[in-house]
Amino acid sequence: MTVTMASAMTMAVARPAQVRIEARRARIPARRRSNPDIRYRIENSSGASAANPPRAARGPRSDNPPHLPDPRTAQVRLSTKASKKARAPRVAARAARKANVQAVGIEQEISIDEAPLTLLREGGEDDADSMRARFEKMIRAAQNEICGAIEELDGQKFQEDAWTRPGGGGGISRVLQDGNVFEKAGVNVSVVYGQMPPEAYRAATGEQGGGKDMIPFFAAGISSVMHPHNPMAPTVHFNYRYFETDAPDGAEGAPRAWWFGGGTDLTPSYIFDDDAAHFHGTLKDVCDKHDEAFYPRFKEWADEYFIIKHRMNERRGIGGVFFDDMNDRSQEELLAFATDMAGAVVPAYVPLVAKHKDDEFTEEQREWQQMRRGRYVEFNLVYDRGTTFGLRTGGRIESILMSLPLTARWQYDMQPAEGSREADAIDAFRNPRTWVA
């Protein structure tokens, strides 16, 4: 069956497994329930399908897909104490608050024909020597380098979309779709000025504080996910970002916060020990250049971050490095580290895809890859900080969901055969391994 982006987003909201499965069993005809395959296809704005028409043709976005009951509404209906008339003001107030958060969070983007030299605001503290300007310069250069290497390997070109916002900031999305080697590859850079609701602050930092006031913020980053066609070639994800919060309105002089974050991780469908050693070894070399404590610390952090809790604490892949909220040393040191880590993406990843892009594979192995893609979707929509932060602040939806593959598969109660390569992969995902000394 086909699930639109709006539906996929809604699945990330509270308790998807409990509500979704029961609702669909009630709606799916008996002749279709026996089919264990659940597939979806997500099209971006340049490839809308009949099952996923352009937004204008589908009407206003609702909180839930039409075939799924809102669990909050369902609970209210069970109450004999609340009438429809009594509920109406509360429902309207909740919708108004939600709309207000979206409107205040980030301004609506404006598409432009060509990316500007800088996405920063003119004048003020964003001059050429500021950390904001230097970080933007780094991620723009990394985007060019990485896209160039992927185009050389694939033989196809990236599609580029650029946009700005009235109050400053903007972004550049590059996506290669249905290529010769890659089913989908995207590399985004963005510069964002906005007002952060407390819940978005908590999503971005993982902290429980943040107060009740809107928090002015600046964020810049590069983010990428690449999904090859061949099941033997791994998926990669990387993200490097710089974040600042200003003092809340009416609290001038309050301390400002800043931090760096990021990481690079690998998601193979099948385990190749030498590939894992190459990938982790390349990242370790960069970490050791800056601090020999970085790799073991950040490798463990990645193993703990990319957990799909509702899948028996299965990891999304075999990890890599991950770090966040880093401000324990100078900005100069952390900028240099982030720059070197972004520069390690091509040597760590591209040789692995070049090695496996023409490997032979069976239909069963392709189906296993599609199931692992399904796990990827689950993690991104339910747990990933960047995705949830973007959704809660009203970011550009095409860029936020760029990480999702074109196709994925959910098969009921699939258990790999004991001793199979699929079982070995599951073991690696559930029990993180040491790939380099």
Side-chain angles (χ1 to χ4, degrees):
M1 62 183 300
T2 301
V3 180
T4 66
M5 283 188 179
S7 302
M9 287 172 57
T10 307
M11 292 176 189
V13 184
R15 299 187 284 280
Q18 298 174 10
V19 176
R20 183 172 69 242
I21 294 173
E22 294 179 6
R24 287 186 177 175
R25 282 191 175 278
R27 296 284 297 179
I28 297 175
R31 66 179 181 274
R32 293 180 59 195
R33 287 186 199 149
S34 61
N35 186 350
D37 296 354
I38 300 176
R39 295 175 180 268
Y40 82 103
R41 183 174 180 90
I42 291 179
E43 301 284 354
N44 68 10
S45 58
S46 64
S49 65
N52 184 26
R55 167 57 48 199
R58 298 202 301 268
R61 187 187 305 278
S62 63
D63 287 346
N64 280 297
H67 61 285
L68 289 182
D70 187 322
R72 296 167 298 181
T73 305
Q75 291 170 6
V76 172
R77 285 173 182 161
L78 293 175
S79 172
T80 59
K81 298 180 180 180
S83 66
K84 265 188 179 180
K85 186 174 181 181
R87 290 197 308 268
R90 294 199 299 272
V91 173
R94 185 166 61 238
R97 287 196 301 271
K98 181 177 179 181
N100 186 55
V101 167
Q102 292 280 40
V104 177
I106 300 176
E107 295 176 310
Q108 181 65 35
E109 68 273 359
I110 301 171
S111 296
I112 55 178
D113 294 333
E114 187 176 351
L117 294 178
T118 180
L119 297 165
L120 298 173
R121 290 172 176 166
E122 296 183 2
E125 58 190 359
D126 297 344
D127 59 56
D129 295 326
S130 69
M131 182 52 62
R132 296 180 177 188
R134 294 168 65 192
F135 195 85
E136 186 206 15
K137 181 179 180 181
M138 184 275 283
I139 60 178
R140 296 279 293 267
Q143 184 184 43
N144 290 336
E145 176 190 359
I146 294 165
C147 288
I150 296 302
E151 287 179 344
E152 182 177 355
L153 178 63
D154 190 276
Q156 299 289 332
K157 296 291 185 181
F158 281 83
Q159 169 189 333
E160 177 177 297
D161 293 321
W163 69 95
T164 59
R165 292 189 171 90
I172 306 165
S173 284
R174 293 180 184 171
V175 176
L176 191 160
Q177 193 164 272
D178 287 324
N180 297 315
V181 175
F182 290 93
E183 178 183 284
K184 189 179 182 185
V187 187
N188 294 341
V189 298
S190 62
V191 171
V192 180
Y193 300 84
Q195 297 284 328
M196 187 192 311
E199 60 267 27
Y201 177 85
R202 291 189 285 270
T205 65
E207 297 179 1
Q208 298 304 310
K212 297 181 179 180
D213 295 332
M214 298 293 288
I215 303 169
F217 75 90
F218 167 89
I222 180 170
S223 179
S224 174
V225 177
M226 303 185 190
H227 299 287
H229 287 294
N230 197 301
M232 302 302 159
T235 288
V236 74
H237 158 264
F238 68 87
N239 175 288
Y240 293 95
R241 56 195 176 274
Y242 174 67
F243 207 97
E244 289 182 6
T245 61
D246 294 333
D249 291 340
E252 288 76 8
R256 298 170 59 176
W258 60 265
W259 62 87
F260 289 78
T264 304
D265 65 282
L266 198 69
T267 302
S269 298
Y270 291 93
I271 304 299
F272 294 90
D273 289 349
D274 53 345
D275 290 356
H278 168 83
F279 183 81
H280 277 264
T282 304
L283 300 184
K284 182 178 184 298
D285 289 344
V286 175
C287 289
D288 288 351
K289 174 183 172 182
H290 293 268
D291 189 326
E292 291 186 356
F294 274 178
Y295 175 75
R297 176 185 170 192
F298 297 158
K299 194 267 186 188
E300 181 180 7
W301 202 339
D303 289 338
E304 294 303 314
Y305 177 74
F306 293 106
I307 290 179
I308 309 172
K309 297 176 183 177
H310 61 271
R311 294 289 187 180
M312 299 175 60
N313 287 337
E314 184 180 295
R315 274 72 182 173
R316 188 174 75 178
I318 61 169
V321 297
F322 177 84
F323 61 96
D324 210 356
D325 310 330
M326 284 280 288
N327 58 6
D328 61 347
R329 56 198 70 200
S330 73
Q331 289 186 336
E332 294 292 334
E333 291 178 271
L334 293 174
L335 174 62
F337 176 58
T339 300
D340 288 346
M341 288 301 299
V345 170
V346 170
Y349 177 64
V350 171
L352 305 184
V353 181
K355 175 182 176 182
H356 294 291
K357 65 183 179 66
D358 297 318
D359 286 1
E360 294 184 359
F361 60 89
T362 66
E363 181 59 29
E364 289 75 17
Q365 290 170 330
R366 170 67 174 167
E367 290 179 355
W368 173 253
Q369 178 203 45
Q370 294 296 294
M371 290 187 62
R372 296 312 309 170
R373 296 265 178 88
R375 297 292 202 270
Y376 204 97
V377 172
E378 291 174 26
F379 177 86
N380 278 28
L381 292 181
V382 178
Y383 302 111
D384 183 69
R385 285 187 188 178
T387 302
T388 55
F389 175 79
L391 295 177
R392 289 172 181 172
T393 55
R396 185 175 186 264
I397 194 63
E398 292 292 340
S399 299
I400 295 169
L401 298 184
M402 174 273 299
S403 64
L404 302 184
L406 283 180
T407 57
R409 176 184 176 97
W410 284 266
Q411 180 171 322
Y412 180 76
D413 195 28
M414 193 284 179
Q415 302 294 333
E418 185 176 352
S420 65
R421 294 187 65 189
E422 292 80 7
D424 177 59
I426 287 290
D427 179 73
F429 301 148
R430 292 179 178 168
N431 304 288
R433 300 175 182 177
T434 300
W435 301 107
V436 293

